[in-house]
């Protein structure tokens, strides 16, 4: 009897080696810094609708996210002397906590401000590029259960994190057609909804971290072409409040996101920061 | 009650020795114009007892030029200049203004402690030109703006810059970073 058990254990061990190797290889590939970006033909191309997903936490995280977006659309970036044109993203998905009315209101206010800004500009220029312009685009606000409430006990947080993870998964995959719609000659009738986001923009809240984890899982399994179509570039912006040490979200995401942006020079990976942390100036 | 808010420039020449060149430079049509361009509403002058005659002569000349900036003056206040300087602070009905002071150390301390941007003007006719040293060092450390009698308007412009630099976020000299737009463009793969 003991002989059979030993034989079974050895076989399992030997089989698990290549499997583990495969999984590690796949994970490395998924998290590779050099993974390609999709090819695009100009900004605001109606055949290539763009999609930005933003996660709003609560309180300070929301305030920082709105502050950096407001700065980006209102004041020109020092390098290009141009400010962000909100129409560059044909659709915006805002993800907020299910009980977080304040963040939902902030998102609405920002959308109204940013879209009026660009339409004014168009009026001033006196020309609307009818062929390429899709107007102010569209947005929606989606609610997810919180990943972790403040002061929540660590013993119950795995359950709330899982609940949040499933909600994020369903937001990301909702209506996604498994092939690249823009490359098709005839768009099939059953492509309701829209593609995966091009960019997932998050900062500190736990919900943002879970959203990134969900997108990494989708790419890991190449669900509906998430990996082969190079979807969902992830962008993490560390809180402005973190000067010397990354936050918990930052320490988890620093090895996982495509861009990990810190807002103080000391946190740059070249200095004391971990992983992919990079300092590209302050955004708020 | 006026609808626009006050913005006061307070000028002090000190109690010990008057500084007629500074009064002449400040109460002049060209400087009042510079004040008006920066939305100042009043120039308050502490001219000292010796400066009374000079001040009165200059005011009548400056007012005929009509810059719209009100000029008020007094000789000395034995209870101290603190409350006069504090008029330049921001309040419900006043925007933060500026203190223009001769570069005497007591006056500089008082002015810096009000928190209002301060222009210090050394009096070069004093013994060994002794006010220069401190004014230079304080300017190098960006606590004050050092002005010259010959170019008071230039100093006023630099004081506005100092106010911006210390109060405004994002900092004006935040380098040549890409900004969030630059990063988003990179990630989207836009090459234009």
């Amino acid at each position: 009897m003991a002989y059979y058990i030993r034989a079974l254990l050895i076989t399992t061990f030997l089989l698990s080696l290549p499997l583990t190797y495969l999984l590690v290889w796949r994970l490395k590939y998924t998290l590779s810094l050099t993974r390609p970006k999709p090819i695009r033909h100009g900004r605001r191309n109606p055949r290539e609708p763009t999609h930005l997903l933003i996660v709003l936490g609560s309180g300070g995280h929301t305030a920082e996210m709105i502050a950096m977006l407001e700065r980006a659309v209102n004041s020109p970036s020092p390098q290009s002397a141009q400010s962000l044109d909100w129409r560059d993203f044909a659709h915006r998905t805002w993800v907020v906590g299910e009980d977080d009315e304040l963040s939902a209101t902030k998102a609405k206010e920002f959308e109204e401000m940013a879209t009026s800004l660009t339409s004014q500009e168009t009026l001033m220029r006196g020309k609307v590029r009818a062929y390429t312009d899709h107007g102010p685009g569209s947005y929606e606000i989606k609610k997810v259960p919180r990943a972790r409430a403040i002061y929540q006990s660590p013993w119950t947080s795995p359950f709330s994190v899982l609940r949040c993870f499933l909600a994020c998964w369903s937001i990301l995959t909702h209506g996604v057609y498994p092939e690249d719609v823009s490359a098709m000659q005839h768009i099939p009738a059953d492509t309701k909804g829209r593609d995966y986001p091009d960019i997932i923009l998050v900062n500190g809240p736990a919900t943002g971290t879970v959203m990134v984890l969900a997108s990494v899982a989708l790419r890991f399994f190449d669900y509906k072409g998430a990996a082969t179509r190079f979807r969902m570039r992830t962008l993490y912006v560390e809180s402005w409040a973190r000067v010397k040490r990354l936050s918990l979200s930052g320490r988890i995401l620093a090895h996982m996101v495509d861009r990990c942006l810190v807002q103080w020079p000391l946190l740059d990976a070249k200095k004391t920061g971990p992983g992919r942390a990079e300092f590209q100036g302050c955004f708020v | 009650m006026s609808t626009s808010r006050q913005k006061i420039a307070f000028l002090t020449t000190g109690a010990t020795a008057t500084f007629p060149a500074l009064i002449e430079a400040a109460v002049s049509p060209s400087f009042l114009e510079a004040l008006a361009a920066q939305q100042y509403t009043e120039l308050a002058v502490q001219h000292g007892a010796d400066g009374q005659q000079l001040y009165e002569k200059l005011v009548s000349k400056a007012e005929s030029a009509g810059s719209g900036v009100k000029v008020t003056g007094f000789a000395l206040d034995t209870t101290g200049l603190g409350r006069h300087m504090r008029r330049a602070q921001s309040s419900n009905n006043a925007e933060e203004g500026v203190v223009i002071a001769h570069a005497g150390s007591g006056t500089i301390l008082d002015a810096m402690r009000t928190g209002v941007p301060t222009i210090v003007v050394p009096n070069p006719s004093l013994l060994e030109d002794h006010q220069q040293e401190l004014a230079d060092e304080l300017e190098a450390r960006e606590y004050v703006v050092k002005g010259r009698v010959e170019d008071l308007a230039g100093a006023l412009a630099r004081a506005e810059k100092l106010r911006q630099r210390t109060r405004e976020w994002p900092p004006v000299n935040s380098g040549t970073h890409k900004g969030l737009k630059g990063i988003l463009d990179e990630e989207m793969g836009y090459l234009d």
Side-chain angles (χ1 to χ4, degrees):
Chain A
M1 195 65 195
Y3 170 77
Y4 288 113
I5 291 174
R6 202 180 302 156
L8 194 71
L9 279 174
I10 290 170
T11 321
T12 318
F13 177 70
L14 288 177
L15 278 177
S16 69
L17 274 183
L19 196 69
T20 312
Y21 178 78
L22 221 66
L23 289 178
V24 168
W25 178 83
R26 180 69 193 165
L27 192 67
K28 267 195 157 170
Y29 173 82
T30 305
L31 301 180
S32 159
L33 258 181
T34 53
R35 76 183 182 105
K37 296 168 196 169
I39 295 158
R40 255 172 241 289
H41 306 88
R43 282 172 208 269
R44 305 202 279 283
N45 184 340
R47 288 192 66 83
E48 297 170 348
T50 49
H51 181 188
L52 170 68
L53 183 139
I54 302 158
V55 179
L56 291 183
S58 53
H61 293 305
T62 295
E64 275 198 31
M65 183 62 86
I66 297 292
M68 73 178 100
L69 290 174
E70 273 178 353
R71 185 172 156 194
V73 298
N74 280 318
S75 44
S77 100
Q79 200 180 49
S80 65
Q82 281 181 320
S83 46
L84 177 66
D85 191 332
W86 202 231
R87 294 170 303 174
D88 281 357
F89 299 102
H91 185 78
R92 287 82 61 180
T93 302
W94 299 81
V95 178
V96 302
E98 62 190 351
D99 55 350
D100 191 3
E101 280 308 316
L102 206 71
S103 291
T105 310
K106 293 265 181 197
K108 268 182 220 134
E109 283 171 2
F110 177 82
E111 282 287 348
E112 274 159 31
M113 184 275 290
T115 45
S116 76
L117 210 66
T118 47
S119 55
Q120 269 172 10
E121 189 192 335
T122 313
L123 282 175
M124 274 185 338
R125 280 208 220 103
K127 56 179 178 184
V128 179
R129 290 186 298 165
Y131 171 64
T132 51
D133 255 342
H134 50 60
S138 55
Y139 76 95
E140 65 194 321
I141 296 172
K142 298 226 170 158
K143 305 209 161 175
V144 291
R146 262 174 197 271
R148 184 180 166 271
I150 301 172
Y151 306 128
Q152 186 185 335
S153 140
W155 298 107
T156 58
S157 61
F159 299 101
S160 55
V161 165
L162 186 67
R163 233 158 58 90
C164 180
F165 183 89
L166 294 175
C168 289
W169 179 287
S170 87
I171 286 173
L172 289 174
T173 56
H174 178 75
V176 173
Y177 194 75
E179 285 162 61
D180 197 345
V181 175
S182 66
M184 290 177 196
Q185 286 301 316
H186 302 286
I187 297 170
D190 62 339
T191 52
K192 289 179 193 133
R194 47 182 54 83
D195 203 354
Y196 286 125
D198 296 281
I199 290 180
I200 295 177
L201 176 62
V202 307
N203 59 358
T207 311
T209 305
V210 174
M211 183 61 81
V212 171
L213 289 174
S215 79
V216 168
L218 286 167
R219 274 159 40 207
F220 185 88
F221 296 111
D222 197 20
Y223 187 77
K224 292 188 182 175
T228 42
R229 294 190 294 112
F230 316 127
R231 309 303 299 170
M232 294 186 282
R233 307 283 302 176
T234 49
L235 226 138
Y236 172 73
V237 183
E238 180 57 287
S239 167
W240 186 48
R242 294 300 181 144
V243 181
K244 295 176 181 166
R245 184 167 181 256
L246 286 194
S247 64
L248 180 59
S249 295
R251 295 201 296 278
I252 294 171
L253 293 179
H255 306 276
M256 213 175 274
V257 287
D258 293 305
R259 301 296 285 268
C260 174
L261 299 148
V262 295
Q263 303 200 61
W264 292 100
L266 197 64
L267 284 177
D268 194 291
K270 291 191 289 291
K271 298 202 171 142
T272 58
R276 303 166 173 184
E278 57 177 313
F279 174 66
Q280 298 279 8
C282 171
F283 297 127
V284 296
Chain B
M1 216 175 97
S2 73
T3 46
S4 65
R5 299 173 78 203
Q6 288 187 320
K7 189 175 179 187
I8 296 169
F10 176 66
L11 179 112
T12 168
T13 61
T16 327
T18 45
F19 189 177
L22 180 59
I23 302 174
E24 268 171 50
V27 190
S28 68
S30 66
F31 187 66
L32 290 177
E33 239 162 68
L35 284 171
Q38 305 272 13
Q39 282 85 44
Y40 281 88
T41 57
E42 182 183 338
L43 173 66
V45 183
Q46 182 269 316
H47 47 67
D50 304 351
Q52 184 85 35
Q53 263 190 334
L54 175 66
Y55 168 78
E56 275 162 15
K57 195 182 82 193
L58 290 167
V59 164
S60 56
K61 209 161 66 178
E63 271 176 351
S64 60
S67 64
V69 178
K70 188 170 75 173
V71 185
T72 57
F74 64 98
L76 257 181
D77 188 337
T78 47
T79 60
L81 291 174
R83 73 188 170 91
H84 297 282
M85 286 185 183
R86 283 194 291 276
R87 286 186 67 219
Q89 288 174 333
S90 77
S91 68
N92 283 340
N93 54 4
E95 206 176 310
E96 185 182 74
V98 69
V99 173
I100 305 164
H102 79 119
S105 52
T107 312
I108 294 178
L109 279 177
D110 284 346
M112 291 203 319
R113 283 178 181 147
T114 59
V116 175
T118 302
I119 299 170
V120 298
V121 186
N123 186 349
S125 55
L126 293 175
L127 180 70
E128 288 184 337
D129 196 4
H130 69 261
Q131 289 185 334
Q132 290 289 349
E133 208 174 298
L134 178 63
D136 280 337
E137 186 62 17
L138 288 176
E139 182 178 60
R141 290 169 186 263
E142 301 197 324
Y143 286 115
V144 302
V145 167
K146 193 183 107 172
R148 289 179 305 125
V149 176
E150 300 82 36
D151 186 25
L152 214 49
L156 189 70
R158 281 185 290 135
E160 290 300 322
K161 277 198 190 127
L162 177 71
R163 189 200 317 278
Q164 278 184 3
R165 198 162 57 237
T166 50
R167 304 289 156 79
E168 279 190 8
W169 191 272
V172 180
N173 55 350
S174 55
T176 53
H177 292 298
K178 296 169 189 156
L180 190 60
K181 177 195 163 54
I183 303 281
L184 286 170
D185 280 354
E186 278 177 12
E187 290 306 299
M188 291 297 284
Y190 293 139
L191 300 170
D192 58 336

